[in-house]
Amino acid sequence: FLAIHLAMCVCRGQDFFNWPVKRGGVIYQAGEGAKGVKRRLKAYRKHFNVPDDEDVPFVFLGSKVDLYSRDGDTQGLIDEIKAWALVMSYPLRLVVIDTLATATAGADENSGKDMSIVLANIARIADETGAAVMLVHHMNAEGKKLRGHTSVYANVDQVITVVCDEATK
């Protein structure tokens, strides 16, 4: 929900929890739970009263991508992102990969070697499209740190951690 909210704030030019954003196009690649993401997008539009005729430069890609293997989908994804960016009413600002685990099938997420390949491909997406890339990722089973190799945490600019506050449940 938070990733969708942030993405919609960008494409609508709305502050994100009182933090200003630059309005721009968003590509949301949902390799995990595409049907659920579509329902959340519909709920967002209803909750925030987004009119059907509002210009919302948002593109939903609901199939899995492979950002790990040599013959993976990195170049194809870059090409698709660039094609969509050409028809957006605002400059492309954000690409969301939801989730990192789904986009890296076959990679050992605890291996620095494997994750360096994945992170290089993600950096390539950012470099070649000119957009920020946001990764949706999960915590480990204990819920105390990000899953996988420390390079995932070390090689990103910002991390937003979502926790459930038992006191407010």
Side-chain angles (χ1 to χ4, degrees):
F1 287 102
L2 188 64
I4 290 169
H5 183 69
L6 175 57
M8 293 299 284
C9 286
V10 170
C11 66
R12 297 184 69 218
Q14 305 284 321
D15 287 355
F16 178 69
F17 296 106
N18 297 320
W19 288 92
V21 300
K22 285 185 181 179
R23 187 172 189 186
V26 175
I27 305 282
Y28 197 104
Q29 189 284 317
E32 180 178 308
K35 287 182 183 178
V37 172
K38 283 184 179 180
R39 286 193 299 268
R40 290 182 198 121
L41 287 165
K42 187 176 179 179
Y44 175 94
R45 291 184 78 101
K46 182 177 179 181
H47 179 78
F48 288 99
N49 299 312
V50 180
D52 290 338
D53 62 348
E54 181 178 326
D55 180 14
V56 181
F58 183 97
V59 174
F60 177 80
L61 304 177
S63 29
K64 292 181 181 182
V65 294
D66 176 356
L67 301 180
Y68 170 64
S69 68
R70 284 189 195 273
D71 300 322
D73 302 319
T74 303
Q75 187 59 53
L77 180 60
I78 290 168
D79 293 342
E80 185 166 8
I81 290 167
K82 285 180 173 182
W84 280 111
L86 291 174
V87 298
M88 289 183 160
S89 53
Y90 289 86
L92 178 66
R93 299 252 187 245
L94 179 64
V95 174
V96 180
I97 307 293
D98 185 355
T99 65
L100 178 62
T102 302
T104 58
D108 176 355
E109 66 181 12
N110 295 308
S111 163
K113 181 180 176 186
D114 286 5
M115 292 316 294
S116 67
I117 294 168
V118 171
L119 293 170
N121 283 332
I122 291 165
R124 195 172 139 215
I125 293 167
D127 290 343
E128 292 189 32
T129 65
V133 177
M134 180 170 74
L135 306 172
V136 177
H137 194 44
H138 299 290
M139 303 295 278
N140 66 1
E142 295 175 335
K144 295 185 178 181
K145 65 177 189 165
L146 286 177
R147 282 178 24 180
H149 194 264
T150 57
S151 63
V152 174
Y153 183 83
N155 287 318
V156 297
D157 294 323
Q158 299 291 320
V159 174
I160 298 173
T161 304
V162 179
V163 295
C164 178
D165 184 349
E166 295 296 325
T168 61
K169 259 186 159 178

